[in-house]
mmCIF file of all heavy atoms in Angstrom:
data_model
loop_
_atom_site.group_PDB
_atom_site.id
_atom_site.type_symbol
_atom_site.label_atom_id
_atom_site.label_comp_id
_atom_site.label_asym_id
_atom_site.label_seq_id
_atom_site.Cartn_x
_atom_site.Cartn_y
_atom_site.Cartn_z
ATOM 1 N N LEU A 26 -13.400 25.856 22.601
ATOM 2 C CA LEU A 26 -12.807 26.801 23.549
ATOM 3 C C LEU A 26 -12.966 26.147 24.919
ATOM 4 O O LEU A 26 -14.097 25.942 25.382
ATOM 5 C CB LEU A 26 -13.520 28.128 23.492
ATOM 6 C CG LEU A 26 -13.170 29.152 24.572
ATOM 7 C CD1 LEU A 26 -11.730 29.601 24.408
ATOM 8 C CD2 LEU A 26 -14.093 30.346 24.525
ATOM 9 N N ILE A 27 -11.867 25.779 25.547
ATOM 10 C CA ILE A 27 -11.886 25.065 26.820
ATOM 11 C C ILE A 27 -11.405 25.985 27.916
ATOM 12 O O ILE A 27 -10.363 26.647 27.798
ATOM 13 C CB ILE A 27 -10.990 23.807 26.755
ATOM 14 C CG1 ILE A 27 -11.421 22.931 25.580
ATOM 15 C CG2 ILE A 27 -11.026 23.045 28.064
ATOM 16 C CD1 ILE A 27 -10.396 21.907 25.156
ATOM 17 N N CYS A 28 -12.147 26.036 29.032
ATOM 18 C CA CYS A 28 -11.792 26.881 30.158
ATOM 19 C C CYS A 28 -10.911 26.120 31.135
ATOM 20 O O CYS A 28 -11.228 24.987 31.512
ATOM 21 C CB CYS A 28 -13.052 27.364 30.860
ATOM 22 S SG CYS A 28 -12.725 28.371 32.320
ATOM 23 N N GLN A 29 -9.808 26.763 31.582
ATOM 24 C CA GLN A 29 -8.922 26.169 32.582
ATOM 25 C C GLN A 29 -8.584 27.198 33.644
ATOM 26 O O GLN A 29 -8.713 28.384 33.400
ATOM 27 C CB GLN A 29 -7.645 25.653 31.911
ATOM 28 C CG GLN A 29 -7.887 24.547 30.928
ATOM 29 C CD GLN A 29 -6.600 24.034 30.297
ATOM 30 O OE1 GLN A 29 -5.526 24.567 30.511
ATOM 31 N NE2 GLN A 29 -6.709 22.982 29.497
ATOM 32 N N VAL A 30 -8.174 26.752 34.812
ATOM 33 C CA VAL A 30 -7.728 27.540 35.954
ATOM 34 C C VAL A 30 -8.880 28.184 36.723
ATOM 35 O O VAL A 30 -9.077 27.926 37.894
ATOM 36 C CB VAL A 30 -6.676 28.609 35.584
ATOM 37 C CG1 VAL A 30 -6.220 29.376 36.804
ATOM 38 C CG2 VAL A 30 -5.485 27.974 34.872
ATOM 39 N N ALA A 31 -9.649 29.067 36.084
ATOM 40 C CA ALA A 31 -10.758 29.771 36.758
ATOM 41 C C ALA A 31 -11.795 30.122 35.685
ATOM 42 O O ALA A 31 -11.476 30.181 34.499
ATOM 43 C CB ALA A 31 -10.256 31.048 37.419
ATOM 44 N N PRO A 32 -13.060 30.319 36.094
ATOM 45 C CA PRO A 32 -14.121 30.626 35.108
ATOM 46 C C PRO A 32 -13.801 31.872 34.292
ATOM 47 O O PRO A 32 -13.155 32.798 34.757
ATOM 48 C CB PRO A 32 -15.364 30.862 35.973
ATOM 49 C CG PRO A 32 -15.082 30.180 37.270
ATOM 50 C CD PRO A 32 -13.585 30.274 37.451
ATOM 51 N N ILE A 33 -14.305 31.875 33.058
ATOM 52 C CA ILE A 33 -14.157 33.035 32.185
ATOM 53 C C ILE A 33 -15.531 33.508 31.744
ATOM 54 O O ILE A 33 -16.478 32.733 31.632
ATOM 55 C CB ILE A 33 -13.257 32.735 30.969
ATOM 56 C CG1 ILE A 33 -13.721 31.462 30.248
ATOM 57 C CG2 ILE A 33 -11.814 32.631 31.365
ATOM 58 C CD1 ILE A 33 -12.907 31.087 29.030
ATOM 59 N N ARG A 34 -15.641 34.813 31.519
ATOM 60 C CA ARG A 34 -16.886 35.433 31.114
ATOM 61 C C ARG A 34 -16.795 35.781 29.633
ATOM 62 O O ARG A 34 -15.801 36.335 29.191
ATOM 63 C CB ARG A 34 -17.123 36.706 31.946
ATOM 64 C CG ARG A 34 -18.483 37.305 31.833
ATOM 65 C CD ARG A 34 -18.608 38.495 32.752
ATOM 66 N NE ARG A 34 -18.646 38.109 34.146
ATOM 67 C CZ ARG A 34 -19.769 37.864 34.830
ATOM 68 N NH1 ARG A 34 -20.940 37.908 34.228
ATOM 69 N NH2 ARG A 34 -19.737 37.556 36.102
ATOM 70 N N ILE A 35 -17.819 35.412 28.861
ATOM 71 C CA ILE A 35 -17.781 35.559 27.415
ATOM 72 C C ILE A 35 -19.064 36.231 26.939
ATOM 73 O O ILE A 35 -20.142 35.926 27.426
ATOM 74 C CB ILE A 35 -17.640 34.189 26.714
ATOM 75 C CG1 ILE A 35 -16.362 33.498 27.162
ATOM 76 C CG2 ILE A 35 -17.674 34.320 25.203
ATOM 77 C CD1 ILE A 35 -16.253 32.061 26.699
ATOM 78 N N THR A 36 -18.946 37.127 25.955
ATOM 79 C CA THR A 36 -20.112 37.661 25.271
ATOM 80 C C THR A 36 -19.793 37.703 23.774
ATOM 81 O O THR A 36 -18.654 37.929 23.388
ATOM 82 C CB THR A 36 -20.488 39.068 25.780
ATOM 83 O OG1 THR A 36 -21.693 39.471 25.153
ATOM 84 C CG2 THR A 36 -19.413 40.090 25.526
ATOM 85 N N PHE A 37 -20.795 37.432 22.938
ATOM 86 C CA PHE A 37 -20.603 37.369 21.497
ATOM 87 C C PHE A 37 -21.304 38.515 20.814
ATOM 88 O O PHE A 37 -22.409 38.897 21.194
ATOM 89 C CB PHE A 37 -21.128 36.048 20.945
ATOM 90 C CG PHE A 37 -20.273 34.866 21.334
ATOM 91 C CD1 PHE A 37 -20.625 34.049 22.397
ATOM 92 C CD2 PHE A 37 -19.092 34.605 20.658
ATOM 93 C CE1 PHE A 37 -19.836 32.994 22.771
ATOM 94 C CE2 PHE A 37 -18.285 33.533 21.023
ATOM 95 C CZ PHE A 37 -18.654 32.744 22.078
ATOM 96 N N LYS A 38 -20.685 39.042 19.739
ATOM 97 C CA LYS A 38 -21.273 40.145 18.977
ATOM 98 C C LYS A 38 -22.539 39.719 18.265
ATOM 99 O O LYS A 38 -23.465 40.489 18.145
ATOM 100 C CB LYS A 38 -20.251 40.659 17.961
ATOM 101 C CG LYS A 38 -19.102 41.393 18.593
ATOM 102 C CD LYS A 38 -18.138 41.895 17.539
ATOM 103 C CE LYS A 38 -17.038 42.718 18.161
ATOM 104 N NZ LYS A 38 -17.471 44.023 18.599
ATOM 105 N N ALA A 39 -22.605 38.470 17.780
ATOM 106 C CA ALA A 39 -23.763 37.995 17.028
ATOM 107 C C ALA A 39 -24.969 37.699 17.931
ATOM 108 O O ALA A 39 -26.079 37.581 17.454
ATOM 109 C CB ALA A 39 -23.408 36.747 16.224
ATOM 110 N N ALA A 40 -24.733 37.569 19.224
ATOM 111 C CA ALA A 40 -25.828 37.252 20.160
ATOM 112 C C ALA A 40 -25.711 38.149 21.383
ATOM 113 O O ALA A 40 -25.211 37.727 22.432
ATOM 114 C CB ALA A 40 -25.761 35.772 20.560
ATOM 115 N N PRO A 41 -26.120 39.403 21.272
ATOM 116 C CA PRO A 41 -25.928 40.355 22.367
ATOM 117 C C PRO A 41 -26.466 39.912 23.721
ATOM 118 O O PRO A 41 -25.908 40.256 24.733
ATOM 119 C CB PRO A 41 -26.667 41.608 21.879
ATOM 120 C CG PRO A 41 -26.703 41.477 20.421
ATOM 121 C CD PRO A 41 -26.768 40.015 20.132
ATOM 122 N N SER A 42 -27.522 39.120 23.719
ATOM 123 C CA SER A 42 -28.068 38.669 25.017
ATOM 124 C C SER A 42 -27.468 37.357 25.449
ATOM 125 O O SER A 42 -27.890 36.766 26.425
ATOM 126 C CB SER A 42 -29.587 38.534 24.916
ATOM 127 O OG SER A 42 -29.907 37.552 23.943
ATOM 128 N N GLY A 43 -26.426 36.884 24.722
ATOM 129 C CA GLY A 43 -25.887 35.566 24.997
ATOM 130 C C GLY A 43 -24.655 35.532 25.862
ATOM 131 O O GLY A 43 -23.922 34.557 25.807
#
Side-chain angles (χ1 to χ4, degrees):
L26 171 66
I27 304 163
C28 178
Q29 297 181 354
V30 181
I33 51 179
R34 191 177 290 269
I35 300 171
T36 186
F37 290 98
K38 290 180 176 287
S42 61

